[in-house]
């Protein structure tokens, strides 16, 4: 073999090696950049999804601390080694002994012993706690409960509370505290920033955008100043509408993550809608809303977005409630009977069926004027408007414990217009009545709704 010839081929091999090395480095760099893009892109997508579910995550919240422990303002807080979840904590001013009441969701079969850990002037103070499970659990494994503890003399103004198991750990030390919850209602108020607040207990997978806007604007017409919505999830367009009302300071969104911890039911009847907790924890949310607005609002209305409590011969709630208190009593809640308007029966009229609204997902309440009659001999659904300071325990329909109970308002004075899907059996067994009273609000409702749709979704009328 010619050694000179062999020497001439050596530079060629070096070039090939350099090319392969460069190619390999570029290939690895490409894979790395692609991986980084995939990871960050997935995070962006997840962030968008989370914003739809929990809009307060849009901006990173600062880590607030109390007594060296992180503070969590929103529900839900799991209690260390127990199947118990804190919802909201409040000073109870109405008992002879001042105490802290925490609305909670508990596993009813778990025989737990609790203690409250209070943050008081930078010091942690432990006191025993008692609990009471509400009776309206509808047979589900979990139910709403009140966990209460007395405020000790050495800590007259606790700012935060954590609840732990009273049972010590194996080494004898107390159970760890993962998060403190702020204690609300520190001061008993006599003057309130809001006259009427509406509590919407559960919003999940919500897509009824047109009715949402109609409900918000109808609430305004009726005199409502605040709407509290306990929200799990909704459509992205729904979130745009909610953001609009949040910026107006008309809506407060309370993130409701209980479905991340408990297998929730989507209905009230366990046999028909399996799960461990009744209807997304609706009852716990309602109780929390009553206490959250106890010293912020003169009245609260506990209802859904497809329900409209309308006075028959008066203009709004500001005129209605004083009339009810004169007729019935000041110290009671007011029950408004539900009348159902089937969504399957429509009455199209160009004055109320705007073409521009047809571009929006959801129900137009002005197109439904056929009402099912109620049998006065049977139980008919209702919802309540009440002075929240009269209520200790509430449920979906009425109260479990309150100062004066509740009275049924004569339906000729006011009642609920409930727009919903109705079974064929109910349609065939009830007579139908035409009721167009909600159209009396159309002159104010239509331009208000159209304005919001234009501002939020860019839909011109």
């Amino acid at each position: 073999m010619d050694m000179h010839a062999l020497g001439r081929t050596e530079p060629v091999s070096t070039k090939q090696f350099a090319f392969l090395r460069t190619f390999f480095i570029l290939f690895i760099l490409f894979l790395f950049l692609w991986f980084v893009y995939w990871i960050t892109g997935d995070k962006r997508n997840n962030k968008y999804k989370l914003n739809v579910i929990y809009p307060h995550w849009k901006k990173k919240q600062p880590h607030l601390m109390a007594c060296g422990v992180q503070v969590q303002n929103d529900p839900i807080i799991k209690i260390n080694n127990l199947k118990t979840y804190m919802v909201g904590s409040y000073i109870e001013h109405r008992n002879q002994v001042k105490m802290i009441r925490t609305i909670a969701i508990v596993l009813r079969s778990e025989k737990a012993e609790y203690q409250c850990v209070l943050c008081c002037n930078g010091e942690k103070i432990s006191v025993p706690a008692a609990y009471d499970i509400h009776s309206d659990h509808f047979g589900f494994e979990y139910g709403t409960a009140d966990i209460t503890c007395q405020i000790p003399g050495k800590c007259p103004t606790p700012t935060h509370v954590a609840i732990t198991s009273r049972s010590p750990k194996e080494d004898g030390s107390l159970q760890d505290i993962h998060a403190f919850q702020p204690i609300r209602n520190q001061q008993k108020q006599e003057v309130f920033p809001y006259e009427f607040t509406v509590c919407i207990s559960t919003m999940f997978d919500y897509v009824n955008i047109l009715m949402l806007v109609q409900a918000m604007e109808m609430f305004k017409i009726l005199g409502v100043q605040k709407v509290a919505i306990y929200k799990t999830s909704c459509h992205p367009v729904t979130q745009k509408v909610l953001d609009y009302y949040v910026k107006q300071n008309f809506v407060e969104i309370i993130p409701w993550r209980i479905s991340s911890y408990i297998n929730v039911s989507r209905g009230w009847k366990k046999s028909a809608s399996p799960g461990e907790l009744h209807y997304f924890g609706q009852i716990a949310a309602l109780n929390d809303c009553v206490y959250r607005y106890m010293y912020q609002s003169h009245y609260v209305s506990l209802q859904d977005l497809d329900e409209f409590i309308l006075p028959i011969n008066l203009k709004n709630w500001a005129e209605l409630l004083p009339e009810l208190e004169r007729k019935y009593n000041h110290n009671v809640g007011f029950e408004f009977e539900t009348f159902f308007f089937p969504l399957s029966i429509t009455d199209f009229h160009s004055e109320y069926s705007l073409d521009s609204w047809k571009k929006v997902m959801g129900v137009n309440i002005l197109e439904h004027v056929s009402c099912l009659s109620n049998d006065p001999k049977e139980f008919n659904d209702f919802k309540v408007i009440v002075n929240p300071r009269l209520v200790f325990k509430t449920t979906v329909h009425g109260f479990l414990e309150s100062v004066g109970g509740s009275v049924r308002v004569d339906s000729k004075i006011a009642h609920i217009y409930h727009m919903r899907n109705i079974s064929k059996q109910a349609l065939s067994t009830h007579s139908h009545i035409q009721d167009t009273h909600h159209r009396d609000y159309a002159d104010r409702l239509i331009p208000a709704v159209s304005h919001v749709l234009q501002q939020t979704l860019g839909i011109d009328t």
Side-chain angles (χ1 to χ4, degrees):
M1 180 178 293
D2 186 350
M3 297 303 295
H4 294 288
L6 182 63
R8 286 194 297 272
T9 62
E10 186 174 347
V12 175
S13 299
T14 302
K15 290 179 180 179
Q16 289 175 338
F17 175 77
F19 172 79
L20 291 173
R21 182 179 61 187
T22 303
F23 176 81
F24 180 76
I25 292 172
L26 290 174
F27 180 73
I28 295 297
L29 181 61
F30 170 78
L31 288 177
F32 174 75
L33 292 175
W34 179 84
F35 178 76
V36 169
Y37 175 80
W38 180 80
I39 288 293
T40 56
D42 185 62
K43 285 183 178 179
R44 286 193 297 269
N45 289 336
N46 284 337
K47 180 180 179 183
Y48 174 72
K49 293 175 184 176
L50 290 173
N51 285 344
V52 172
I53 299 175
Y54 306 120
H56 74 300
W57 288 6
K58 287 181 180 177
K59 296 181 180 178
K60 190 174 181 180
Q61 301 295 322
H63 292 298
L64 301 177
M65 306 293 287
C67 291
V69 177
Q70 185 171 334
V71 173
Q72 181 175 316
N73 283 295
D74 300 326
I76 305 290
I77 300 176
K78 186 181 184 302
I79 296 177
N80 45 44
N81 60 333
L82 296 174
K83 299 290 187 180
T84 299
Y85 303 88
M86 298 174 66
V87 176
S89 297
Y90 304 89
I91 299 289
E92 178 58 82
H93 296 277
R94 297 168 296 177
N95 294 344
Q96 290 182 348
V97 179
K98 195 174 180 181
M99 64 175 55
I100 298 168
R101 183 190 298 266
T102 297
I103 311 300
I105 297 172
V106 304
L107 181 64
R108 296 189 296 115
S109 62
E110 188 171 53
K111 304 303 180 183
E113 291 186 335
Y114 301 108
Q115 68 177 6
C116 292
V117 180
L118 310 179
C119 180
C120 193
N121 297 322
E123 181 183 358
K124 298 175 189 172
I125 297 176
S126 296
V127 294
Y131 73 100
D132 176 33
I133 299 176
H134 294 202
S135 60
D136 55 346
H137 46 70
F138 295 96
F140 288 90
E141 288 81 354
Y142 283 84
T144 302
D146 295 326
I147 301 176
T148 56
C149 53
Q150 293 187 16
I151 298 175
K154 60 181 177 180
C155 179
T157 56
T159 57
H160 298 79
V161 62
I163 295 174
T164 68
S165 170
R166 203 180 300 178
S167 302
K169 295 191 292 187
E170 293 182 0
D171 61 3
S173 62
L174 296 176
Q175 295 290 340
D176 296 329
I177 301 172
H178 301 295
F180 267 123
Q181 188 171 70
I183 303 172
R184 303 175 189 269
N185 296 353
Q186 289 283 343
Q187 301 297 324
K188 183 178 180 180
Q189 304 291 338
E190 302 292 339
V191 178
F192 315 107
Y194 310 119
E195 184 69 9
F196 296 103
T197 295
V198 172
C199 295
I200 305 298
S201 55
T202 52
M203 173 183 278
F204 58 92
D205 303 340
Y206 194 86
V207 298
N208 199 341
I209 296 163
L210 180 56
M211 186 182 286
L212 172 63
V213 177
Q214 289 180 328
M216 293 299 112
E217 296 307 311
M218 184 68 87
F219 289 151
K220 288 183 178 181
I221 293 171
L222 292 171
V224 174
Q225 292 90 31
K226 198 74 170 183
V227 180
I229 300 176
Y230 287 72
K231 195 199 79 165
T232 296
S233 60
C234 68
H235 190 278
V237 179
T238 305
Q239 188 60 53
K240 285 186 178 181
V241 173
L242 292 176
D243 289 342
Y244 171 84
Y245 287 110
V246 169
K247 288 179 182 178
Q248 287 189 340
N249 198 33
F250 184 66
V251 165
E252 179 185 10
I253 301 294
I254 296 97
W256 194 243
R257 305 187 195 90
I258 193 61
S259 58
S260 299
Y261 300 94
I262 299 173
N263 178 23
V264 299
S265 170
R266 289 176 173 258
W268 69 272
K269 195 174 183 180
K270 188 172 177 62
S271 60
S273 182
E276 298 175 303
L277 177 66
H278 163 268
Y279 199 61
F280 277 82
Q282 175 188 32
I283 295 169
L286 287 172
N287 278 273
D288 183 72
C289 195
V290 167
Y291 279 87
R292 183 178 291 254
Y293 282 91
M294 186 165 287
Y295 297 103
Q296 294 190 66
S297 189
H298 191 172
Y299 303 97
V300 294
S301 176
L302 309 178
Q303 61 176 95
D304 295 326
L305 286 170
D306 56 1
E307 297 171 329
F308 302 86
I309 301 175
L310 302 183
I312 304 304
N313 295 313
L314 299 172
K315 295 179 181 178
N316 51 44
W317 291 358
E319 294 182 0
L320 175 64
L321 267 295
E323 179 64 24
L324 296 180
E325 290 180 342
R326 284 191 294 269
K327 181 177 177 62
Y328 298 104
N329 196 321
H330 281 78
N331 294 322
V332 296
F334 300 106
E335 303 174 1
F336 297 90
E337 186 174 341
T338 298
F339 287 80
F340 294 106
F341 289 72
L343 296 181
S344 59
I345 303 175
T346 56
D347 178 54
F348 294 105
H349 193 290
S350 59
E351 183 180 355
Y352 307 111
S353 305
L354 280 70
D355 289 338
S356 60
W357 289 7
K358 295 176 183 177
K359 304 174 185 177
V360 184
M361 290 185 292
V363 172
N364 178 1
I365 67 171
L366 299 177
E367 293 178 346
H368 302 280
V369 296
S370 180
C371 172
L372 300 186
S373 62
N374 284 347
D375 186 345
K377 298 178 183 178
E378 296 180 355
F379 170 82
N380 294 301
D381 284 344
F382 65 91
K383 294 296 176 67
V384 295
I385 296 178
V386 65
N387 168 356
R389 293 158 299 285
L390 300 176
V391 181
F392 290 93
K393 297 178 186 176
T394 191
T395 185
V396 181
H397 304 287
F399 314 119
L400 296 182
E401 185 180 339
S402 67
V403 172
S406 58
V407 297
R408 182 65 63 96
V409 173
D410 187 337
S411 62
K412 295 183 177 64
I413 297 175
H415 61 260
I416 293 177
Y417 288 63
H418 190 173
M419 311 288 166
R420 59 168 292 177
N421 291 312
I422 302 294
S423 67
K424 291 183 179 179
Q425 181 181 359
L427 288 173
S428 61
T429 56
H430 289 75
S431 60
H432 296 238
I433 305 166
Q434 189 176 55
D435 186 343
T436 62
H437 175 53
H438 51 300
R439 285 180 172 176
D440 294 342
Y441 295 87
D443 288 346
R444 295 182 62 186
L445 184 64
I446 289 174
V449 170
S450 295
H451 174 74
V452 174
L453 295 178
Q454 196 282 326
Q455 291 291 310
T456 57
L457 309 181
I459 295 176
D460 295 322
T461 57

